[in-house]
Amino acid sequence: MHPTTPSPAPAPRGVALLFPGQGAQQPLMAVGLYHGHPPFRRLVDEVFEVWGAEGAALRADWLSGSPAANPDGVSRAQPLLFAVDWALGRLVLDWGVRPAALLGHSVGEVAAATLAGVFTLEEAAALMADRVAHIESAPAGGMLAVQATAAEMTPYLHDDVVVGAVNAPRQVVLAGSEAPLAVSEARLRAAGFTCRRTRALSPFHSPALAPAALAALPALSRLPLRAPRLPLHSAYTPGPLTPAQAADPRFWAGQPAAPVLFGPALDALLGTGELLLLEAGPGQGLTALAKRHPAVGAGSSAAQGLLPARARGDATDLRTLRTAVERLLAGGWLAHDPLPAPADTVRTRPSTQPEAHQPASRQDCERDRPGPVTGPRRL
């Protein structure tokens, strides 16, 4: 009798991209990758160029290391999250990876939908600019992460304070205007709940934001919304997005005020089969949530961030991306290594001005672009 060698666990069957939203932003997020990996820099610059002069100012503030504007404010966090999420997702698609699904959290769903072809990049950039303009005029508020079930929160909901997000069975986020949210926070702490404020200065995913959110409906109604050309899952439905939902302007307009059901959406996604979940965005918040999911804990699926958990604005970004690429290569999802060898890594920090370039090649997962955009979109 010869001893048998245990067979290695089979690799997950597909790749799904996860896109984080409000609260995931950090100073210096993806700055190291911008300086160290020209393909990513070109893609991010493509987003900023659509926003014209305001995009250039946004980029300069982001890269400065000491931003003049509050990075948690809606005018900074929302467009930067969209730009980084979209560019990372586009980078993976340009490598030749064809995802089994795209799933976004909050504004991450707009990035996912753009990659899936519901919006062109120009349309999504216009949507973001319009959304930011309306939300900036909304009342101040915030979001409070609580280690509890949604049902346990019922006694603490009042005025416009609601459960704004369900991220896991015992991880929810309350949202609302500042004064009533502060009352809920004090009561929760007195009752012994573990809670913390998230990085949000607006009452995202609460009724307090509904008027500002729906103000974007006229502009959305003029867009030729399309059925997704890649499998697109929604954290609002939660589950696969249907063509009818994707083409509904109200669905997109209402998202900033609607509850995010990321936990149930992740359940539905992992219920489709074994997956490697790649978080295409700053931090590793969604990766951490995924790693606590039973399907990932059991080893049938796995989760990996494309950027480090803590942004440092240095070569850590590229090293983290390298780890993800090695996992994709080992699983057979990449035919060749798309990153430079470590010795060839760009070591100089280029100007904050965009470089002249040819647009990155586009696969057939996004619609062909329409004619030239008539002027930059304001943020």
Side-chain angles (χ1 to χ4, degrees):
M1 295 286 291
H2 295 283
T4 58
T5 301
S7 300
R13 295 173 185 168
V15 174
L17 298 179
L18 307 180
F19 299 88
Q22 184 72 35
Q25 73 277 0
Q26 303 175 37
L28 299 177
M29 61 181 182
V31 168
L33 195 60
Y34 183 91
H35 288 309
H37 192 49
F40 176 75
R41 183 165 66 248
R42 287 193 291 268
L43 290 167
V44 176
D45 283 342
E46 191 173 340
V47 183
F48 290 134
E49 286 164 9
V50 178
W51 286 320
E54 294 192 25
L58 177 64
R59 176 180 50 230
D61 198 47
W62 167 53
L63 297 175
S64 69
S66 54
N70 190 326
D72 297 335
V74 63
S75 66
R76 283 296 182 263
Q78 290 277 299
L80 281 176
L81 283 167
F82 172 80
V84 171
D85 283 9
W86 178 85
L88 276 172
R90 184 67 257 175
L91 188 69
V92 174
L93 296 181
D94 286 349
W95 291 343
V97 175
R98 286 297 165 263
L102 309 175
L103 171 62
H105 189 297
S106 188
V107 69
E109 188 154 318
V110 179
T114 306
L115 293 166
V118 175
F119 306 102
T120 66
L121 178 58
E122 291 84 358
E123 291 165 351
L127 166 61
M128 292 305 306
D130 193 51
R131 178 181 284 186
V132 164
H134 294 303
I135 292 175
E136 278 191 303
S137 65
M143 305 184 76
L144 180 73
V146 187
Q147 189 174 329
T149 66
E152 289 176 300
M153 293 296 95
T154 301
Y156 304 93
L157 307 180
H158 65 108
D159 295 330
D160 60 12
V161 176
V162 298
V163 175
V166 177
N167 290 329
R170 291 194 58 79
Q171 189 163 346
V172 300
V173 180
L174 301 190
S177 299
E178 183 54 41
L181 185 63
V183 171
S184 294
E185 180 178 6
R187 292 178 58 205
L188 283 163
R189 292 188 185 280
F193 285 96
T194 300
C195 51
R196 64 173 178 81
R197 287 292 184 115
T198 70
R199 305 189 67 157
L201 304 179
S202 299
F204 284 102
H205 310 299
S206 80
L209 214 59
L214 291 176
L217 186 57
L220 270 163
S221 298
R222 293 191 291 270
L223 295 181
L225 303 177
R226 309 158 185 91
R229 300 180 68 185
L230 289 174
L232 180 61
H233 286 233
S234 174
Y236 293 93
T237 54
L241 197 66
T242 67
Q245 289 166 332
D248 182 1
R250 280 192 168 273
F251 174 76
W252 299 104
Q255 285 192 357
V260 175
L261 306 176
F262 181 80
L266 186 62
D267 288 340
L269 176 59
L270 288 171
T272 64
E274 300 168 350
L275 294 168
L276 172 61
L277 305 170
L278 291 181
E279 183 169 3
Q284 295 188 10
L286 301 186
T287 302
L289 289 172
K291 286 182 175 179
R292 292 196 288 271
H293 192 280
V296 176
S300 58
S301 290
Q304 174 77 47
L306 297 180
L307 288 174
R310 292 183 178 273
R312 293 166 47 184
D314 60 14
T316 308
D317 287 1
L318 194 53
R319 287 197 294 269
T320 305
L321 189 65
R322 158 64 59 192
T323 300
V325 163
E326 289 172 355
R327 196 161 198 168
L328 289 168
L329 287 166
W333 292 296
L334 285 179
H336 58 85
D337 189 339
L339 297 182
D344 298 330
T345 299
V346 176
R347 300 182 185 277
T348 59
R349 293 170 67 88
S351 164
T352 59
Q353 297 301 314
E355 62 182 41
H357 66 275
Q358 294 296 318
S361 62
R362 293 289 183 263
Q363 305 292 338
D364 62 357
C365 54
E366 286 188 85
R367 294 254 179 193
D368 291 337
R369 301 283 172 80
V373 179
T374 55
R377 305 293 186 180
R378 287 184 58 81
L379 281 170

